[in-house]
Amino acid sequence: MDLEKIEGLVKIIENSSLTEFTIKEGDVKITMSKLDHPPVVAPGMPMAAAPLPQAPAEAVKEEEAQEEEKLFITSPIVGTFYSAPAPDAPAFVKVGDQVKNGQTVCILEAMKLMNEIQSDFDCEIEAVLVSNEQKVEYGQPLFRVKKL
């Protein structure tokens, strides 16, 4: 994974409501998290990188297995996310809802067209990862789900 791609991912995280993001490409796995507040650094003092804790190999393998079990409904297009069909209407889905295959979970507006996004499988919504009216990118996770 090249530096430009990593910088692009950092910009996406900074401009979105995501608080944590993990990507795995080949042997490289990168996890990014937002801080609730910026770190306090004295002016003129360089920031030192904190040493990464070393985890036993078994713990790393277990964590990777858990990451692979997490499922997401992702954005198939670039657009604006809408959680409901109208401003005064209830959201299509909320955390804890059970969703059926083919059920609409949100709308993405792209070039003045409203695209209903549907679930590809039966699942339960664990987290809504974007805010209403937020701009989303192609492939960006919109919902974290648990398969039923």
Side-chain angles (χ1 to χ4, degrees), residues 20 23 73 101 111 142-144 148:
E20 188 171 303
I23 185 169
I73 296 175
N101 181 8
M111 297 175 42
L142 303 174
F143 301 92
R144 185 176 70 231
L148 296 177

Side-chain angles (χ1 to χ4, degrees), residues 30-56:
I30 296 176
T31 301
M32 294 182 229
S33 300
K34 276 188 186 178
L35 295 174
D36 289 335
H37 52 80
V40 178
V41 178
M45 295 293 293
M47 285 183 60
L52 296 174
Q54 296 297 324

